[in-house]
Amino acid sequence: MTSQLELTARTAFAQVLTVWRTRRGLSKKQLAASMGYHPSYISHVESLRHHPTLEFACRAEAVLASGGEIISRYEQCRQAAGEPAPTPVLRNDYEPSPMLPATLVIEEENATLAYADGWYFCRVERVVRNVGDRPVTCYPVRVDVDRYPDQPGVSRRLYAESPLQLSDLDFEAHAGDEQPEPMDVRVTRASDAYVKMVLIFGNARARFPLYPGERTRVTYAYRVPASLWGQWFQRDIRFPTRALTMSLRLPAELAAEVSAETLSYAGIKGFSPTESPGENGTVVYTLRLRELLLTSQIRLRWRFGERAPAGWGDLAA
């Protein structure tokens, strides 16, 4: 039988969940999809028909970013019910799995794309925090190219003739801040125009899982021939992301015109990149956004001005 103390604690948890869901502009269905739950489960928790669990609270915190209020209310529920404090689960076999919990938060992402000597160079840095109760042993990434996004038939023919190969990308990844460790790379799926992989929190020398409550910096970089790239640079928000900075570095002589757009709802309106002079005759276009919603897609697009030298358009168009 539920005590009055437990009922009061569960009611407070449900209220906090509803408040933060509303504040983030999410329906029950949208929150459920972001957390990996059935929509009815959210309704049952908010209407007190289901008891919240630690996993549920962690996933809700990861998506809604309540500053720990959701977890605090869960702790009150647990204590009111007389349940023991959970023990973090530690793995001994260290078998990386591509099935990640929805308890990773990207506190900050800095993504840079630069052109030089016939290549596009991409570098992504993410400060990743584990807000769950289990170690995380790998992190998914995807390299995706499309030179002709508005002409799918032309793109398919191009990449059928010149498929994207991981061995040609000079791909490398590291984890850590002061002394970053190389991360092993495992390809999970590949096609002519993209490569999906997981970055392992480990290498031949050491294993360094991301344990509950810890944060680290994941950095990866690669290059793609300009002949296989398009005039766009896109970030897909697959984990709760608090801050995103996108930078595009192009030669000033291209006289590029750069714009930003969302391909799905990002919870923001009226944004555009800023322009500033860069090193070695380049121009840097920067876009800074905060508190993006899951499944958002942010894209920078550019075209070259009339002053661009002849032949430049063939490099990235």
Side-chain angles (χ1 to χ4, degrees):
M1 182 176 178
T2 302
S3 67
Q4 184 60 42
L5 182 62
E6 184 181 355
L7 181 60
T8 300
R10 286 175 56 194
T11 300
F13 179 89
Q15 290 174 343
V16 165
L17 180 68
T18 302
V19 166
W20 279 98
R21 177 176 61 78
T22 303
R23 186 176 299 179
R24 297 304 185 196
L26 296 176
S27 67
K28 294 176 184 178
K29 184 176 181 180
Q30 290 172 322
L31 177 60
S34 299
M35 292 174 57
Y37 281 87
H38 191 278
S40 64
Y41 197 94
I42 305 296
S43 295
H44 290 165
V45 171
E46 291 191 358
S47 62
L48 308 184
R49 290 195 295 272
H50 277 348
H51 293 256
T53 65
L54 176 60
E55 179 70 12
F56 180 90
C58 288
R59 293 191 182 204
E61 176 64 31
V63 174
L64 299 176
S66 73
E69 189 174 1
I70 291 175
I71 300 297
S72 176
R73 292 297 185 184
Y74 166 76
E75 281 297 312
Q76 293 176 10
C77 289
R78 180 187 62 76
Q79 293 172 9
E83 298 175 356
T87 302
V89 177
L90 302 180
R91 298 179 55 168
N92 297 320
D93 57 347
Y94 197 83
E95 176 58 30
S97 170
M99 300 301 294
L100 289 175
T103 50
L104 286 178
V105 169
I106 310 301
E107 296 186 338
E108 181 180 0
E109 173 175 337
N110 291 280
T112 302
L113 180 71
Y115 172 83
D117 301 325
W119 293 82
Y120 279 101
F121 296 86
C122 184
R123 179 181 176 86
V124 178
E125 295 184 3
R126 293 189 178 113
V127 178
V128 182
R129 180 165 58 97
N130 182 356
V131 298
D133 66 338
R134 297 172 183 269
V136 173
T137 58
C138 63
Y139 186 85
V141 299
R142 171 171 173 154
V143 176
D144 201 342
V145 296
D146 191 350
R147 181 167 172 169
Y148 304 103
D150 301 321
Q151 303 178 63
V154 176
S155 271
R156 283 194 295 270
R157 289 193 296 272
L158 170 66
Y159 296 109
E161 297 173 357
S162 302
L164 194 67
Q165 301 285 345
L166 180 63
S167 57
D168 297 331
L169 301 180
D170 284 347
F171 188 95
E172 60 178 24
H174 294 81
D177 288 298
E178 297 181 358
Q179 295 180 324
E181 284 278 358
M183 302 178 75
D184 284 344
V185 178
R186 178 182 299 175
V187 175
T188 57
R189 188 172 182 180
S191 76
D192 292 341
Y194 72 83
V195 179
K196 296 176 68 174
M197 64 197 87
V198 291
L199 310 182
I200 311 300
F201 285 99
N203 51 47
R205 189 188 67 82
R207 302 298 188 188
F208 37 92
L210 187 62
Y211 287 102
E214 293 183 344
R215 60 169 52 83
T216 191
R217 186 179 303 273
V218 174
T219 304
Y220 62 91
Y222 59 91
R223 66 176 189 172
V224 177
S227 59
L228 297 181
W229 199 272
Q231 289 176 227
W232 58 276
F233 182 36
Q234 180 174 314
R235 311 309 301 155
D236 294 347
I237 307 304
R238 298 189 175 93
F239 291 94
T241 300
R242 305 293 170 245
L244 168 67
T245 299
M246 298 175 64
S247 299
L248 173 66
R249 185 184 299 270
L250 296 173
E253 59 184 322
L254 293 182
E257 298 178 6
V258 181
S259 60
E261 62 184 358
T262 61
L263 305 185
S264 62
Y265 181 64
I268 47 179
K269 296 181 179 179
F271 57 91
S272 59
T274 60
E275 181 178 334
S276 60
E279 299 176 349
N280 302 319
T282 63
V283 177
V284 180
Y285 307 86
T286 304
L287 182 68
R288 293 185 175 88
L289 303 171
R290 298 186 63 83
E291 299 296 346
L292 292 98
L293 297 181
L294 282 174
T295 74
S296 296
Q297 296 174 304
I298 312 298
R299 176 180 287 187
L300 294 178
R301 301 192 71 161
W302 62 91
R303 62 177 183 173
F304 301 130
E306 296 180 355
R307 294 186 291 108
W312 271 104
D314 296 335
L315 289 176

